[in-house]
Amino acid sequence: MNLKDTLPEYNSQAETQRILHWIDGSPQHFAELMDVFFDGNTRKNQYAAGIMIHCIDRWDFLITPYIEKLILNLRSDGLHDAIKRNTVRVLQNIEIPEDLHGILAEICFTYLSNPTEAVAIKVFSMTIIDNLTQFYPELKEELHFILEEQFPFQSAGFRSRAGKILKK
């Protein structure tokens, strides 16, 4: 299957299941999905991002070769929220190579501090930063400051995750 040509532009549960069945843990098939994910900024990229999440939920080992590219892609201008959201969602649950910690922390602090950023992107970013505080305890102070500052003005989802992090 040539996923780049056959992936529809709009999300369909049946199509998602068909693609997941085709990928079935195959690194080669997953590579085709990731080619679509990284190819520009279209509806197909957004749809590929959603399928990527389903794949990583089932076969988390597939994402390892793409960690650096995922993080560096977050520095791209004009990324759609779906790309950012699904990327940080994946990154919050995997081990990040040490040489990428600084870049990722910078990106996540930028998302977290941006008043116009979508709530889900902020929530996943705060989790990533919280994960990084295991290696860099000095990040806790800055994270707590931002969370406390934004806490009264954010959504219930933000406050729930922030509350759990602040209690630690």
Side-chain angles (χ1 to χ4, degrees), residues 7-146:
L7 189 70
E9 290 192 14
Y10 294 96
N11 192 349
S12 152
Q13 191 67 332
E15 187 64 16
T16 297
Q17 291 305 313
R18 183 182 73 79
I19 293 167
L20 287 171
H21 186 277
W22 174 75
I23 292 174
D24 195 30
S26 164
Q28 293 79 17
H29 292 176
F30 187 72
E32 284 191 45
L33 177 72
M34 295 308 287
D35 286 344
V36 175
F37 175 84
F38 289 117
D39 185 30
N41 196 10
T42 67
R43 291 283 303 152
K44 284 189 178 193
N45 305 105
Q46 297 166 39
Y47 188 30
I51 295 171
M52 175 187 69
I53 291 293
H54 291 295
C55 289
I56 301 313
D57 287 347
R58 296 174 186 193
W59 311 289
D60 62 350
F61 65 91
L62 291 175
I63 202 64
T64 303
Y66 303 96
I67 294 171
E68 181 174 9
K69 194 169 182 181
L70 282 169
I71 293 170
L72 296 178
N73 188 55
L74 289 173
R75 289 183 149 177
S76 302
D77 290 332
L79 280 181
H80 191 277
D81 279 359
I83 303 295
K84 292 190 283 188
R85 180 182 61 250
N86 286 307
T87 300
V88 290
R89 181 177 173 194
V90 164
L91 294 173
Q92 75 173 347
N93 294 319
I94 62 173
E95 187 175 326
I96 306 298
E98 188 175 343
D99 62 323
L100 298 171
H101 287 179
I103 296 167
L104 185 56
E106 175 188 326
I107 291 166
C108 290
F109 272 119
T110 300
Y111 288 161
L112 191 56
S113 300
N114 183 345
T116 63
E117 201 65 70
V119 172
I121 295 168
K122 287 182 170 212
V123 168
F124 297 138
S125 293
M126 78 172 77
T127 301
I128 290 170
I129 296 167
D130 184 49
N131 292 344
L132 291 173
T133 63
Q134 297 172 25
F135 304 98
Y136 312 99
E138 62 274 13
L139 294 178
K140 286 181 186 179
E141 189 174 321
E142 185 176 355
L143 176 60
H144 285 209
F145 175 78
I146 292 170

